[in-house]
Amino acid sequence: MPRPPRYRPRDASRRRGWIYLAVIAFILVDVLLIICALGGRGADTAPEPSRPIPTFTPSEQTPTPTAEAAVSNAIPSTRLLSALDATTAWRATTGECPTASATPEISTDAGATWQATDATSDVQVTALQQLNVVTESLVELVGLSAADCTPQFVRSFVAGADYSDYPSQLASEWYIDPADRSIVHSPAGTQAASCSTVVALAARADEEEDSAAVLCDDTQVFTTGDSGTTWASPIQVSGAVNIAVTPMGYIVATVGLPDCKGVQLAVLTTEQQSVQQTGCLAVDLPTEIMQDNVAISEAGGTVWVWAGDSVQRSIDWGRTWQ
């Protein structure tokens, strides 16, 4: 008896066709995703355009204008300030060696409270010239030895609970020796400054550690990109009293300007060699009082200013303050 024919669904070949098409479509989509991913990676590695510098708008400011004249002769500040981020910063006062003790203070609550430390008792350093917070526990100081007032490099790895002297590290540091303010010490050694009297130094501690800016007593700012071997043309910053590093270049604290009774901030860009005012911190003190009592620092987009009796912070370059 003949075997009956095997049953085959009528649409078997059609189903196979759809399967082939689905596989091909999957492969095509996969290839497109790979191409997009590679393209996106290339976009990520492209240079990011420079962030625009905030523009100062008088209508955004509330401080009362002042009729006082801007500072025309800057003097060294008696205050130092170094911020790590939006909540942690160090500050210190300084003065003549050997009478000015090195007792820097740390705040970890955005400046609400400050805890004093004592580097003078530990290593006999006085008259701090540089203050640099590196991590939550590491802080570095350049001061003057109580014994002979020569420069001294000091570190604390425990947030100021204990300090140690590291004389071999001094050669690689940026600092100004007040015994001769016409000289800048950089990682490349001793260099002639761009003026006869440097009153403030802002040195980069990142990959551009050979770059720095100095503020001279005539309120001119000079920048260098080769550890002080050469200096760019001066930039006049009327009323300048102190300077600090920012990702865009430098930020300058000025006093005595007509539109700000207090501390006016100005951003200095090294690429454009220009200065732009950004904001004002109202401080009800005479210009001559603030002239050597203003310190400034920037970290992670937060600007810290120590003027008057308090330290204030701004996350919008001085338009508003906390």
Side-chain angles (χ1 to χ4, degrees), residues 7-310:
Y7 171 76
R8 293 182 179 179
R10 291 181 301 172
D11 59 348
S13 59
R14 185 178 300 173
R15 288 181 179 174
R16 283 196 298 271
W18 282 111
I19 292 173
Y20 294 150
L21 288 175
V23 172
I24 292 171
F26 176 80
I27 294 173
L28 289 174
V29 170
D30 196 38
V31 171
L32 287 173
L33 289 174
I34 293 172
I35 292 173
C36 291
L38 291 175
R41 186 177 301 172
D44 289 342
T45 57
E48 182 180 351
S50 300
R51 290 181 292 173
I53 299 172
T55 302
F56 172 75
T57 305
S59 61
E60 295 175 352
Q61 308 301 316
T62 56
T64 304
T66 174
E68 296 184 76
V71 170
S72 58
N73 292 297
I75 58 178
S77 179
T78 59
R79 295 179 172 184
L80 304 173
L81 181 64
S82 180
L84 177 66
D85 49 37
T87 57
T88 300
W90 285 75
R91 69 180 184 181
T93 57
T94 188
E96 298 294 325
C97 175
T99 57
S101 298
T103 55
E105 299 175 315
I106 180 176
S107 174
T108 57
D109 55 9
T113 60
W114 296 84
Q115 179 180 351
T117 67
D118 191 349
T120 299
S121 295
D122 288 342
V123 292
Q124 296 301 298
V125 63
T126 67
L128 294 180
Q129 304 300 312
Q130 291 290 112
L131 169 64
N132 181 36
V133 55
V134 183
T135 68
E136 291 182 356
S137 57
L138 174 59
V139 64
E140 299 177 340
L141 316 173
V142 175
L144 303 179
S145 168
D148 55 9
C149 292
T150 57
Q152 182 178 355
F153 180 72
V154 174
R155 276 188 181 134
S156 174
F157 290 95
V158 286
D162 179 70
Y163 289 92
S164 297
D165 191 9
Y166 293 85
S168 63
Q169 298 296 314
L170 184 64
S172 62
E173 293 300 309
W174 284 94
Y175 63 87
I176 303 295
D177 185 345
D180 186 355
R181 291 188 172 274
S182 68
I183 299 296
V184 174
H185 190 282
S186 77
T190 300
Q191 307 286 357
S194 48
C195 59
S196 60
T197 305
V198 174
V199 301
L201 166 69
R204 310 199 76 86
D206 51 18
E207 66 277 3
E208 299 179 77
E209 60 182 11
D210 55 353
S211 298
V214 294
L215 170 64
C216 296
D217 62 345
D218 59 0
T219 70
Q220 290 192 113
V221 174
F222 295 81
T223 61
T224 179
D226 55 12
S227 296
T229 303
T230 60
W231 299 89
S233 299
I235 302 174
Q236 188 72 55
V237 186
S238 180
V241 294
N242 219 326
I243 189 169
V245 172
T246 74
M248 296 173 288
Y250 302 91
I251 187 166
V252 184
T254 65
V255 299
L257 298 186
D259 292 325
C260 174
K261 182 172 177 55
V263 180
Q264 174 75 62
L265 304 185
V267 172
L268 185 155
T269 59
T270 53
E271 292 182 359
Q272 300 174 351
Q273 289 289 291
S274 63
V275 177
Q276 185 173 3
Q277 294 179 353
T278 62
C280 174
L281 172 63
V283 182
D284 191 17
L285 288 173
T287 296
E288 60 269 20
I289 298 297
M290 291 191 292
Q291 190 172 1
D292 62 346
N293 283 289
V294 174
I296 187 170
S297 184
E298 189 276 340
T302 299
V303 178
W304 296 62
V305 175
W306 184 15
D309 296 329
S310 64

